[in-house]
Structure formats: C-alpha cells, structure tokens
Amino acid sequence: MDLTTVAQEKLTALNHRHLLGLVDYSAEEIGLILETARHFRDVLDRRIRRVPTLRGVTVVNLFFEASTRTRISFELAEKRLSADTVNFSASGSSVSKGETLKDTARNIEAMKIDLVVIRHKSPGAAHFLTRCVESVVINAGDGAHEHPTQALLDLLTMSDLFASFEGLNVCILGDIAHSRVARSNIFGLRALGANVTLCGPRTMMPVGIEDLGVRVTHRLDEALEGCDVAMALRIQLERQTDGPALFPSLREYHERFGIRLAHLEQHPDLVVMHPGPVNRGVELASEVVDHERAVILDQVTNGVAVRMAVLYLLAGLMAPGEEAAG
Ligand code: CP
C-alpha cells in the first residue's frame, strides 16, 4: 500500500495546524497518527530507511532544555523523511546574551523555515511560539505541561501489546505534579477509552486531578491490582526547587513506589514502561529496567516513527503550494 496515498486520504481528520498537546486531539486524530506511524515503522525496517516525503521542507529543532531521546529521534525522523534540519541549543546561542524566545524564533524564521520543534522549561512556551511565528509548531515538552509526542509513542507501544485501549488499565506512577508525560498520557489514554490510575506520594499529586477522569491512590499494591501497564515516571529533582523536599529520601521513595522484581512475579502479565531517563533503583529496580516485560527501548524505537508521522501530517497541512511532495 502506498504510504503517501494512505495518509493524504485521511489528512482532513487531523484537525490541527500545530501539535501543542493531546488535550484537544480527538481519538480519531490520535488513531490517524498511530496508523501513519505504523506505516513509517515499515519504512524504518527497510534496508534504506529514508523516503523523500519532506524533501524541500525545513525543520528547526529549538531545544532550550536537555534531551537525549526526543532530540535525537526528532532529528532522525526529519532525516528519514528527507527534510532539511537545523539544530539549535540555548547553550552557545545568543540566548546567553539575553535574546528572548520570541526574538530567537523570529530571527530563525526569517531564514525561511517551515516547522519548529520546541522543548522549553516553561509551560506554555510552544503555545507562545504560535503567536510569534507563522511556522507549524510541535511541542517537544514544555515544563510540567505536555509532552505529546512522548504520549503518542507510549500509545503506539501499548497498541502493539493489547488488542484495544477500551478498558485497558494503565497505572501512571510517581511524580505526577511535575510530569508533562503524565498529562499527555492521561489525555491520550482517556480519549481512547483506557482506564487511568495515578499513584504516588500525596506531595506529588495535584489537587483535583480526578477531574481529568482518573482514579487516584497512594498505595502501590492497590494501583497494581488488575493493572495491564505500569508507567513509572522519573523523579524530577530539577523541577523540585521551591519549598521543602517532596519525599524523605530516594531509598524510601523506592520502597513505597518503586517497581521491583517481586511486583513482576506477583503480576505475571504486567508490562512496565518508563519515558526515560530512568533513575535506576529509584522508580524501577535495576533488574526491572532490564526485564523482558519492560518495553522501555521499544518506546524509544517507536519514537522515531511517531515523530515521522507527526511531521508528515502537520507538514501536509501547510497552505496549498507549500505542502510536502510525496
Ligand atoms: N522521554 C524524554 O523526553 O526523554 P529526553 O528528555 O531524553 O528527551
């Protein structure tokens, strides 16, 4: 089946110009992205892992915050689609001379670009960018707000393992309050019909989070009961700068909320996920990270295909005459 035809037939279903978050993406739009990603995964399995789909399209990766997986997989996705890519890091740029995000973005856009991928420590940075530039904006993680492509790759990974999202029981564990990954996954999973349980210390659980249609517990044993997927989140010490510590020690956190081999033995069908980077021995015991039921590296592999799909579908929504040729 011809990939270009398949995606273009359904292009109208993607009802957004940007990908800022999953909060307002419908189940059908998420389904289209996942379906397109599966086609691109076939491309990535070929000997020559490159298609000419985004030839002539220029993508700038604006990274104001550290990243390994997201940054490399966006760059690989752009290269696999034959786009021209430029990488920007705040360190070593004129940001260190006081240039603002708005001016940085507008100056880069003046060099004629089509899409901007942005990671920034401030929630709302991607939304803000849409008001500064004409280019399509893709949020690669903005503070504790959203990380939509992470959730999409998580959803793709789950869809490989389970027949349906309807009734799937997913538990998200840990530092919910500081987690953009949790928020995007909650929106995506709820849109697709999955049941979401959040588990973590009270100090890391936002008040009123139940309003998003999730169940909350502070007991790991309760959270894992009947659970299909346990998604452990990284403890984000770098975002816990204000006020007192949110838990007594990393050792105590691991004892109360870390997944250990005993949990895998107790729940023989449980699948373990983690967006990375993992603090071994904190969110997950080291043996769990390397366990066959931990699909952490599958998540990373799926990240390239998902980002190819997002770039392709959003580039396709440019004004007539500007769209990427197949
Ligand atoms: N999961 C994730 O966003 O990882 P990076 O911070 O390495 O991009």
Side-chain angles (χ1 to χ4, degrees):
M1 201 178 295
D2 175 50
L3 171 66
T4 308
T5 313
V6 169
Q8 281 181 349
E9 272 170 11
K10 297 197 174 182
L11 203 57
T12 49
L14 201 56
N15 207 18
H16 288 80
R17 183 157 189 267
H18 308 285
L19 177 59
L20 306 178
L22 290 191
V23 65
D24 56 358
Y25 267 59
S26 65
E28 291 73 23
E29 288 174 292
I30 294 170
L32 172 62
I33 296 171
L34 300 187
E35 187 191 330
T36 308
R38 284 187 203 100
H39 288 289
F40 279 124
R41 209 161 48 178
D42 293 344
V43 170
L44 295 174
D45 286 339
R46 292 182 200 156
R47 195 171 61 80
I48 309 286
R49 305 185 198 97
R50 186 184 282 258
V51 286
T53 315
L54 292 194
R55 202 159 47 202
V57 171
T58 302
V59 187
V60 176
N61 301 310
L62 283 183
F63 277 70
F64 292 84
E65 202 185 46
S67 170
T68 297
R69 282 145 287 270
T70 312
R71 182 183 183 131
I72 292 176
S73 67
F74 262 114
E75 193 178 339
L76 272 177
E78 290 150 13
K79 286 182 161 52
R80 303 294 191 222
L81 290 168
S82 304
D84 295 320
T85 70
V86 181
N87 292 312
F88 167 95
S89 297
S91 59
S93 76
S94 290
V95 169
S96 60
K97 300 175 195 164
E99 191 166 42
T100 63
L101 169 60
K102 178 177 180 174
D103 285 333
T104 300
R106 290 187 67 177
N107 276 270
I108 291 173
E109 190 173 59
M111 299 180 215
K112 307 289 181 198
I113 62 166
D114 302 297
L115 294 98
V116 182
V117 175
I118 178 168
R119 167 165 291 193
H120 201 283
K121 69 176 191 313
S122 300
H127 283 81
F128 173 73
L129 206 59
T130 62
R131 298 199 294 275
C132 307
V133 298
E134 295 298 316
S135 306
V136 170
V137 176
I138 299 173
N139 183 3
D142 59 334
H145 178 228
E146 281 225 40
H147 192 352
T149 57
Q150 176 67 45
L152 288 164
L153 72 87
D154 293 337
L155 295 171
L156 182 61
T157 306
M158 285 182 237
S159 77
D160 290 336
L161 300 169
F162 299 95
S164 170
F165 282 100
E166 203 64 51
L168 188 72
N169 293 313
V170 180
C171 169
I172 305 180
L173 292 169
D175 187 357
I176 310 294
H178 292 95
S179 179
R180 54 196 177 206
V181 175
R183 287 175 61 83
S184 290
N185 265 290
I186 290 168
F187 296 133
L189 285 163
R190 293 297 297 136
L192 297 176
N195 304 316
V196 179
T197 297
L198 305 180
C199 177
R202 287 178 199 279
T203 49
M204 293 178 165
M205 196 64 68
V207 174
I209 190 88
E210 294 91 342
D211 292 350
L212 297 182
V214 297
R215 182 174 77 108
V216 172
T217 172
H218 305 289
R219 293 182 48 140
L220 183 58
D221 55 350
E222 206 172 278
L224 294 182
E225 201 55 51
C227 177
D228 298 304
V229 178
M231 182 186 294
L233 302 171
R234 183 173 68 88
I235 292 296
Q236 302 192 36
L237 296 170
E238 76 276 17
R239 294 197 210 281
Q240 296 174 27
T241 48
D242 46 343
L246 298 179
F247 52 88
S249 69
L250 292 175
R251 187 181 56 77
E252 186 170 324
Y253 179 87
H254 181 65
E255 276 173 19
R256 289 204 50 200
F257 298 103
I259 301 183
R260 300 181 292 281
L261 271 184
H263 294 118
L264 295 187
E265 286 159 12
Q266 210 176 339
H267 302 281
D269 297 321
L270 183 69
V271 171
V272 176
M273 300 178 75
H274 193 299
V278 178
N279 293 306
R280 279 182 185 255
V282 181
E283 303 99 39
L284 303 175
S286 195
E287 311 81 58
V288 172
V289 177
D290 301 322
H291 198 277
E292 61 183 10
R293 276 190 276 137
V295 294
I296 299 166
L297 294 180
D298 297 327
Q299 293 171 257
V300 176
T301 302
N302 283 331
V304 179
V306 156
R307 287 166 178 132
M308 287 173 82
V310 167
L311 287 159
Y312 171 70
L313 291 168
L314 292 178
L317 285 176
M318 286 182 211
E322 293 178 354
E323 73 269 40

